[in-house]
Amino acid sequence: MSERGIIYVNKAKKGGYVARVHLDNGKTKIDVPLGYQMDMSSNKKACEIEREKGQITKIIVNGKELPKNQKFSKGHSINDKSRNHIAKAVSDIFNIDNTKLPSDTRIALQSFKGKDIENYSLLLNKASQFYDNDKFKFFEVDRKKGIVLNVQPDYSKIDIKAIAERHKKNIEKLNIDIKSIILKPDWRLIVGLGNESVYETSMTLHHIYGIPYIPGSAIKGVVRSYIITEKFGSDEKKALKEDQGFCDIFGCPKESFYNESRQGKISFFDALPLSKPTIKPDIMNPHYGTYYSDSSGNVPPADDHSPKPIFFLTVKDAEFEFIIGIKEKDNTAIQKGIFEDKYPLEAGYEWMKKALNEHGIGAKTAVGYGYLQ
């Protein structure tokens, strides 16, 4: 399905052009992947785009499709050489003296090395490396030496599958009807990118096990938002006021279909990995940092600004089990609305699968992250 918008083109500092499409809905802005052949003649022109899993795959300007260089692979916004450089395996460098832990704690941990801290959440967030007297970092690249810091987990001593199985058994002990599905990131997954952190970016990690997971609240939020967008034209008030099934599944405030506050009948549980996840650093490279940080409004987004690479952590190569549940007495057929004649558990499961497949979860879904199959 094609979407309409306006394409904005700027000259890149190191040659070539970068572009962004502002869709006609007034809300969505999508970066154009590198590799499209364009110039300033396309700037501020009406365009049509096609997307696959959030990533632009086709752009039509003035009735003509913009050609794409062959050297850029589909679905990547930075070239493969850069990604391979970032992703290559490197032993992490850990020094307890580079942390900002209390002095007595550092003394007690003097005999430890980074790999001895088995909980990745503690290693990453509590024993954070204050690198080169600059700032807290988990990944650093030197132009001459290559990768010099890469704080990685060691999951070899953790039975991740057993943790997931115990999690599911505990849910089953609640004496509720459940449905589950196992999905794997189509490429990479980012959850908790904007959480509070000593770093510029973050990742959601289990406090006890140190493994990445997807909170049930995030899953519920994505499914709820996806239904509102797809079935109610992004009108939340309409969904709450007019649809019985929506209120049954997700709950509702007083001003709603039932004219009273109600708790949702469906419980969305945390999704845990079933196998050892791979943690990969990735990069975003804002070119106009000075412009974004200027509060006076006097600094334009000029081409003489220096890019500022920001690293973030992603998850790949891990299956997650998504589980929802409902009390047996609450799983009765819905009488009115878009879910008419369906049972809440059936409807919740169907839309959870669709949302994770087609909308994705976590950060940067517009550029291909977070889609699960």
Side-chain angles (χ1 to χ4, degrees), residues 277-292:
T278 301
I279 307 297
K280 290 288 186 182
D282 211 327
I283 185 174
M284 47 186 162
N285 201 18
H287 282 63
Y288 305 115
T290 309
Y291 164 70
Y292 291 127

Side-chain angles (χ1 to χ4, degrees), residues 35-54:
Y36 281 94
Q37 298 176 20
M38 66 183 81
D39 54 34
M40 295 305 295
S41 65
S42 299
N43 187 37
K44 297 183 180 180
K45 294 292 181 65
C47 68
E48 290 186 27
I49 66 169
E50 292 182 6
R51 289 192 287 168
E52 182 178 330
K53 297 178 180 177

Side-chain angles (χ1 to χ4, degrees), residues 5-9 21-22 40-48 60-62:
I6 303 294
I7 186 169
Y8 292 85
V9 182
V21 174
H22 294 207
M40 295 305 295
S41 65
S42 299
N43 187 37
K44 297 183 180 180
K45 294 292 181 65
C47 68
E48 290 186 27
I60 298 175
V61 181
N62 294 330

Side-chain angles (χ1 to χ4, degrees), residues 160-205:
I160 291 178
K161 186 176 181 180
I163 293 172
E165 289 175 349
R166 184 165 64 247
H167 174 63
K168 188 173 183 178
K169 286 180 180 179
N170 288 336
I171 294 173
E172 291 170 345
K173 290 178 182 178
L174 297 174
N175 292 320
I176 59 176
D177 294 336
I178 68 170
K179 286 183 77 71
S180 66
I181 185 172
I182 297 173
L183 298 172
K184 185 177 181 179
D186 184 50
W187 182 44
R188 296 187 183 184
L189 173 69
I190 316 166
V191 177
L193 183 69
N195 289 348
E196 289 187 7
S197 173
V198 296
Y199 307 110
E200 293 175 294
T201 58
S202 185
M203 168 183 273
T204 298
L205 296 169

Side-chain angles (χ1 to χ4, degrees), residues 103-159:
S103 58
D104 56 343
T105 304
R106 291 204 303 272
I107 292 172
L109 295 174
Q110 284 296 334
S111 62
F112 279 72
K113 298 179 181 179
K115 62 182 180 181
D116 294 323
I117 301 179
E118 297 175 3
N119 188 308
Y120 188 50
S121 179
L122 293 178
L123 177 64
L124 189 68
N125 298 316
K126 299 301 182 182
S128 311
Q129 295 287 285
F130 195 71
Y131 186 78
D132 201 23
N133 291 318
D134 180 18
K135 58 183 178 181
F136 289 107
K137 296 181 180 180
F138 54 81
F139 187 81
E140 181 67 13
V141 178
D142 183 271
R143 289 186 178 181
K144 295 181 179 180
K145 299 178 182 178
I147 299 175
V148 293
L149 177 66
N150 187 12
V151 180
Q152 284 287 306
D154 179 9
Y155 292 133
S156 62
K157 299 178 182 179
I158 302 176
D159 192 340

Side-chain angles (χ1 to χ4, degrees), residues 8 22 25 59 66 72 98 102 141 166 188 197 210 221 223 241 263 268 321 329 356 364:
Y8 292 85
H22 294 207
N25 61 21
I59 308 175
L66 294 183
F72 288 89
N98 288 339
V141 178
R166 184 165 64 247
R188 296 187 183 184
S197 173
V223 178
K241 196 69 177 176
Q263 181 179 354
F268 292 79
E321 184 166 22
K329 67 181 182 64
L356 296 171
K364 302 177 80 67

